[in-house]
Amino acid sequence: MVSLIATCWTIAGDVRPDWTDNISRWRLEDRIEAAARAGYAGAGFWLGDLLHWRENGGDYAALRAQLSDAGLPIVELEYLADWFAKGEVRERSDVTRAELFRAADALGARHVKVMPPFGGQGWDVGYLAEQFAAVCADAARHDLVMALEMIPFSDLPDLHSALDMVMRADAPNGGLLIDIWHVVRSGGSVGDVAQVPARYIKAVELCDADRVMRGPITEDTMRHRKLCGEGAFDLAGFVAALGQAGYDGPYGVEILSDAVRTLPLAEAASRSFDSTAAIFHGDAESNGER
């Protein structure tokens, strides 16, 4: 059975990760309930939401109990950035890392999303691999997988460059998060993922979109993704290629969309789940729990 994760931004409501005020207006407890009712097997959490929730009296033990009671055993956390940096930037990243690992221990998280470098600062790939390996070694003490997201407007802009870095790091618990949107918008083919060794595929994300970008790439990714089956992406081909590669882990559903953000919570959860589950089982539910 394929397990689907309701990633944090799919059920966060009318907020965007690139906004200054990016804290969801919906309670974490309500988002967990909506994801479970929709049929999801896991939930994703943005660290900012978790810290805000704890500052207002939230308790990780209670949240973990709710996840267990709701039948959501898979927990994803995001995200760690600047893990390769130096000076004050690195110090802030290390504080974030400690907070992510604290949350992961308390919630029993499976993996943490890791951001690649941005800004064209010319980081040496050998140095990045060394730093990524160190991050993964740290995460292994928390039984965590670290999944680097390949992003086409980053300094690791395609599957080749991102895979090269994680292969150099060669960490058992480190590899790639492969998002179909980023594969297509990087100029790659969905079939390219069949060539990625399975041990380096740590997480996958699904969405749909138009064949041609709408506006700048950063706006297209934040505003114009679509529910699976409503765009032009070859989702079935992407999933088949991942199967050829040997991937058998969960699939995150990440719909960054102006239209989906305005939906009621229950509708955002159910429509995102149903449209994605249809890729795997026609009209049947993906994990058989609904």
Side-chain angles (χ1 to χ4, degrees):
M1 291 289 187
V2 173
S3 297
L4 299 182
I5 302 170
T7 65
C8 65
W9 302 109
T10 298
I11 54 171
D14 197 12
V15 293
R16 279 171 45 167
D18 59 336
W19 285 352
T20 301
D21 181 6
N22 52 18
I23 301 301
S24 175
R25 278 53 169 174
W26 288 336
R27 297 171 64 247
L28 292 180
E29 294 88 347
D30 294 338
R31 293 162 68 181
I32 290 170
E33 181 180 357
R37 286 183 178 276
Y40 280 104
F45 298 99
W46 160 246
L47 182 61
D49 280 340
L50 289 173
L51 294 178
H52 177 77
W53 175 78
R54 289 191 69 202
E55 288 169 0
N56 287 275
D59 175 67
Y60 278 149
L63 200 66
R64 183 167 186 170
Q66 185 187 1
L67 286 163
S68 177
D69 291 345
L72 299 179
I74 306 170
V75 175
E76 170 187 84
L77 301 178
E78 61 175 277
Y79 57 79
L80 179 64
D82 298 323
W83 42 273
F84 48 84
K86 300 178 181 179
E88 292 183 4
V89 174
R90 176 58 177 271
E91 290 174 5
R92 290 194 294 271
S93 176
D94 288 347
V95 170
T96 297
R97 186 195 307 191
E99 290 289 352
L100 283 165
F101 289 174
R102 185 176 297 114
D105 287 341
L107 299 177
R110 174 188 183 270
H111 66 269
V112 172
K113 288 188 186 183
V114 180
M115 290 295 104
F118 292 88
Q121 298 181 46
W123 296 100
D124 176 75
V125 66
Y127 171 76
L128 291 176
E130 176 185 290
Q131 294 300 306
F132 187 66
V135 168
C136 292
D138 193 8
R141 291 190 281 271
H142 302 268
D143 197 26
L144 267 176
V145 168
M146 302 303 281
L148 178 92
E149 188 163 12
M150 182 279 287
I151 298 178
F153 45 91
S154 77
D155 298 351
L156 298 173
D158 50 36
L159 274 178
H160 174 77
S161 58
L163 179 60
D164 178 46
M165 194 281 287
V166 300
M167 289 181 72
R168 289 177 187 236
D170 198 28
N173 63 325
L176 298 179
L177 185 156
I178 303 179
D179 182 328
I180 187 173
W181 192 97
H182 295 311
V183 171
V184 174
R185 294 302 192 233
S186 72
S189 163
V190 296
D192 293 344
V193 300
Q195 306 306 314
V196 180
R199 63 163 292 194
Y200 294 113
I201 307 175
K202 298 303 185 184
V204 174
E205 288 184 339
L206 298 173
C207 68
D208 214 334
D210 294 332
R211 189 174 306 279
V212 178
M213 282 196 303
R214 296 170 60 184
I217 191 169
T218 51
E219 285 297 292
D220 190 54
T221 192
M222 291 291 175
R223 300 184 59 194
H224 302 305
R225 299 194 192 199
K226 295 187 175 185
L227 296 170
C228 293
E230 295 186 357
F233 286 177
D234 181 8
L235 288 155
F238 182 68
V239 169
L242 286 161
Q244 291 174 15
Y247 180 71
D248 60 359
Y251 286 76
V253 182
E254 185 172 68
I255 314 295
L256 297 166
S257 159
D258 287 351
V260 173
R261 285 187 187 100
T262 61
L263 294 176
L265 174 56
E267 186 176 354
S270 63
R271 288 183 61 186
S272 60
F273 176 86
D274 290 341
S275 58
T276 307
I279 299 167
F280 299 94
H281 299 296
D283 293 330
E285 284 71 32
S286 175
N287 65 6
E289 294 180 1
R290 292 184 67 190

